[in-house]
Amino acid sequence: MKEIVEAIIAANPPSEARRAEFAGFDIPESYRGVVVRREEIAMFDGTPSREKDPRRSLHVDEVPTPEVGPGEALVAVMASSVNYNTVWTSIFEPVPTFGFLSRYGRTSDLAARHDQPYHVVGSDLAGVVLRTGPGVHLWSPGDEVVAHCLSVELERADGHNDTMLDPEQRIWGFETNFGGLAELALVKANQLMPKPAHLTWEEAAVPGLVNSTAYRQLVSANGAGMKQGDVVLIWGASGGLGSYATQLALRGGAIPVCVVSSARKAEIARSLGAELVIDRTAEDYRFWRDERTQDPTEWKRFGQRIRELTGGDDPDIVFEHPGRETFGASVYVARRGGTIVTCASTSGYLHEYDNRHLWMNLKRIVGSHFANYREAWEANRLIARGLIHPTLSRVYRLAETGQAAFDVRGNTHQGKVGVLCLAPAEGLGVRDTERRARHLTAINRFRGV
């Protein structure tokens, strides 16, 4: 592995000689990956959800290198990141992910590789292709890549217009094995996209899942179909999803109303270019009187505040991802005929809302989950062109992934957190220094926050 890393660090632009060099490397029989173990799925039984600690369940283990099958690629992972699906995996909620692996493993002999007593997690990566399987023509050893997390078979007609509708659609590293929080990762070759040349490995690793998710949820016709002039309410506007939604809204000519939970987060939202910001902590919005009872008077107060900021307009689109805590308010404040587009449910997935505000005002709730192949490519293209920027705030070592997941779960981070896998240090992997120089302030906006 050391020889591979040295070659990546010293790499020149892709060439036939470089591809031959990487194709000639011996692939290690095993590698280090961040795993949960099947034998430990009961470790949090009887523990309240809020007290389940990812640092206890996430381990860095040596695992066997999987064979590369048709249409697949093995990637040397320089950096990855922590998403909320890694948090769910680490606390075995809402269900242990080993059920996903078992079901996938029953679909074919090739998929059976994924059904293991360990689950290598992680749904982002930036790295270099080491091997490709039969039938792969676009990618070669030595190519610098990022990966989106859509794993899909596409053998049925259901997904041919929108790959997210395929009944065998899965999220790589969550519903499949051999994810990106590791030294090596196994992906379908059609998950690969060009690494943005002006970014470091750790910067390039963090946008994939959240940027693509926000793109489909907000911009795509499969989501809210945002247009110029739309008022968009964005919950958690300085966080992993919200920071990309804010950028996409501003780039698309919409009017974001950014909801945050502290003065510092309000500063971050304004630094992105947002002018309309609500600090829900400072203004003391309490949408629940207790664990079972919501407070509609707080919905009304919140809606009035939005109108004060917008000059009387209600949101055309509500970008929803906190879930249970905020969903009743989201349905209430959306304009007549407006759209609440939802994913994630990080505060709880059992939503409650007053349906009168939905049906009588002709509003729509749209479920959105990751992105299809085309949407992921379009989202990555915006990153590569310097139109949308990574929101990397902090970088951890692979051995510190448990702490990274703990911090993400506790919402102590801003933007996204990265994880160095094979990269020995931060700051490596930049190929386009001119473009980087033009956007350096925006690239570093979240660093150290």
Side-chain angles (χ1 to χ4, degrees), residues 77-92:
V77 184
M78 296 300 280
S80 183
S81 78
V82 172
N83 294 289
Y84 216 86
N85 65 9
T86 297
V87 175
W88 288 130
T89 303
S90 70
I91 61 174
F92 308 109

Side-chain angles (χ1 to χ4, degrees), residues 2 11 23 26 29 84 100 109 112 118 121 129 171 180 201 230 239 241 261 263 331 351 389 401 404:
K2 180 181 178 183
D26 292 330
E29 293 183 357
Y84 216 86
F100 301 146
D109 291 341
Y118 55 86
V121 299
V129 175
I171 297 299
W201 295 113
D230 278 347
L241 277 173
S261 58
V331 171
H351 298 184
H389 304 289
T401 303

Side-chain angles (χ1 to χ4, degrees), residues 347-363:
S347 71
Y349 46 83
L350 293 176
H351 298 184
E352 295 181 25
Y353 62 92
D354 186 332
N355 198 43
R356 293 171 297 179
H357 299 302
L358 186 80
W359 106 70
M360 295 182 71
N361 291 294
L362 307 171
K363 303 177 187 183

Side-chain angles (χ1 to χ4, degrees), residues 228-249:
Q228 290 182 333
D230 278 347
V231 174
V232 183
L233 181 71
I234 301 173
W235 293 101
S238 68
L241 277 173
S243 58
Y244 289 95
T246 300
Q247 293 184 72
L248 289 166

Side-chain angles (χ1 to χ4, degrees), residues 40-316:
E40 293 183 344
I41 61 175
M43 69 185 304
F44 294 127
D45 285 0
T47 303
S49 179
R50 63 183 177 274
E51 296 177 15
K52 296 177 182 179
D53 189 340
R55 294 172 297 186
R56 292 181 55 201
S57 56
L58 291 175
H59 311 278
V60 179
D61 286 353
E62 193 83 10
V63 298
T65 302
E67 63 175 305
V68 182
E72 295 181 339
L74 187 70
V75 180
V77 184
M78 296 300 280
S80 183
S81 78
V82 172
N83 294 289
Y84 216 86
N85 65 9
T86 297
V87 175
W88 288 130
T89 303
S90 70
I91 61 174
F92 308 109
E93 288 187 5
V95 293
T97 53
F98 290 98
F100 301 146
L101 303 186
S102 295
R103 284 192 292 276
Y104 186 29
R106 291 193 294 270
T107 63
S108 72
D109 291 341
L110 197 62
R113 296 167 300 164
H114 291 259
D115 187 8
Q116 301 291 342
Y118 55 86
H119 183 185
V120 185
V121 299
S123 298
D124 280 319
L125 71 73
V128 176
V129 175
L130 295 180
R131 290 287 188 275
T132 58
V136 177
H137 308 292
L138 183 61
W139 304 101
S140 301
D143 287 342
E144 297 184 350
V145 295
V146 293
H148 65 71
C149 62
L150 172 57
S151 175
V152 66
E153 307 307 316
L154 277 186
E155 291 185 309
R156 305 187 192 185
D158 308 60
H160 285 193
N161 283 339
D162 179 3
T163 45
M164 289 303 295
L165 297 181
D166 190 290
E168 295 298 329
Q169 172 270 322
R170 294 174 176 85
I171 297 299
W172 160 71
F174 177 59
E175 295 165 301
T176 78
N177 216 327
F178 315 121
L181 283 163
E183 295 175 330
L184 299 176
L186 184 71
V187 298
K188 293 184 183 297
N190 48 26
Q191 291 177 239
L192 298 177
M193 304 180 293
K195 173 190 170 290
H198 66 295
L199 299 180
T200 65
W201 295 113
E202 61 275 11
E203 291 162 355
V206 299
L209 185 149
V210 285
N211 185 43
S212 301
T213 299
Y215 184 92
R216 179 182 175 103
Q217 192 173 354
L218 191 58
V219 178
S220 170
N222 293 312
M226 183 190 75
K227 64 182 186 301
Q228 290 182 333
D230 278 347
V231 174
V232 183
L233 181 71
I234 301 173
W235 293 101
S238 68
L241 277 173
S243 58
Y244 289 95
T246 300
Q247 293 184 72
L248 289 166
L250 290 166
R251 274 290 178 186
I255 304 162
V257 179
C258 294
V259 186
V260 296
S261 58
S262 72
R264 184 69 184 101
K265 294 178 181 181
E267 290 176 17
I268 295 169
R270 292 190 178 96
S271 75
L272 289 169
E275 296 178 354
L276 311 181
V277 181
I278 297 173
D279 180 347
R280 58 182 295 199
T281 301
E283 300 186 31
D284 196 29
Y285 290 105
R286 300 175 183 269
F287 300 125
W288 290 79
R289 291 173 179 151
D290 53 49
E291 289 187 1
R292 295 179 299 278
T293 311
Q294 297 193 68
D295 188 348
T297 64
E298 286 291 88
W299 301 347
K300 184 175 182 180
R301 183 167 75 93
F302 185 58
Q304 289 171 338
R305 178 66 174 131
I306 294 169
R307 288 181 175 181
E308 288 174 8
L309 291 173
T310 62
D313 291 332
D314 294 324
D316 299 276

